[in-house]
Amino acid sequence: MPKVSVIMSVYNGEKYLRDSVISILNQSLKDFEFIIINDGSTDATMDIVNSFKDERIVLINQNNSGLSKSLNKAI
């Protein structure tokens, strides 16, 4: 079980997503899981997340339901 869970919700965030994921993965603490909620994106969000081959990433896809519901689901 990881010490920390980092959560992120993304909806059509391809412009900043790659940099955001890289920033989280490059933290000095390595014992964490990174839960990303794809909140019904219609852009390249899925392709970007799937391009990372890191076992700490947990991807959850859902229909668009908004930031609050998405973050609560991640928790």
Side-chain angles (χ1 to χ4, degrees), residues 13 15 18-19 27 34 36 38 41 50 52 54 62 66-67 69 75:
K15 184 174 181 180
R18 184 173 309 283
D19 289 339
Q27 295 298 306
F34 186 14
I36 301 173
N38 176 25
S41 297
N50 286 327
F52 291 93
D54 193 303
Q62 67 180 25
L67 180 60
K69 287 184 180 181
I75 292 170

Side-chain angles (χ1 to χ4, degrees), residues 7-74:
I7 62 173
M8 172 192 286
S9 176
V10 60
Y11 174 73
N12 291 341
E14 68 181 345
K15 184 174 181 180
Y16 302 105
L17 182 58
R18 184 173 309 283
D19 289 339
S20 298
V21 172
I22 289 170
S23 176
I24 296 298
L25 294 177
N26 286 334
Q27 295 298 306
S28 57
L29 176 70
K30 300 298 181 191
D31 187 16
F32 66 87
E33 66 179 342
F34 186 14
I35 302 168
I36 301 173
I37 304 288
N38 176 25
D39 193 27
S41 297
T42 58
D43 63 359
T45 291
M46 285 294 300
D47 295 331
I48 293 168
V49 174
N50 286 327
S51 72
F52 291 93
K53 305 304 180 204
D54 193 303
E55 60 192 31
R56 296 173 293 181
I57 295 175
V58 177
L59 176 62
I60 299 171
N61 290 300
Q62 67 180 25
N63 292 327
N64 184 262
S65 57
L67 180 60
S68 297
K69 287 184 180 181
S70 296
L71 294 177
N72 283 331
K73 183 173 187 171

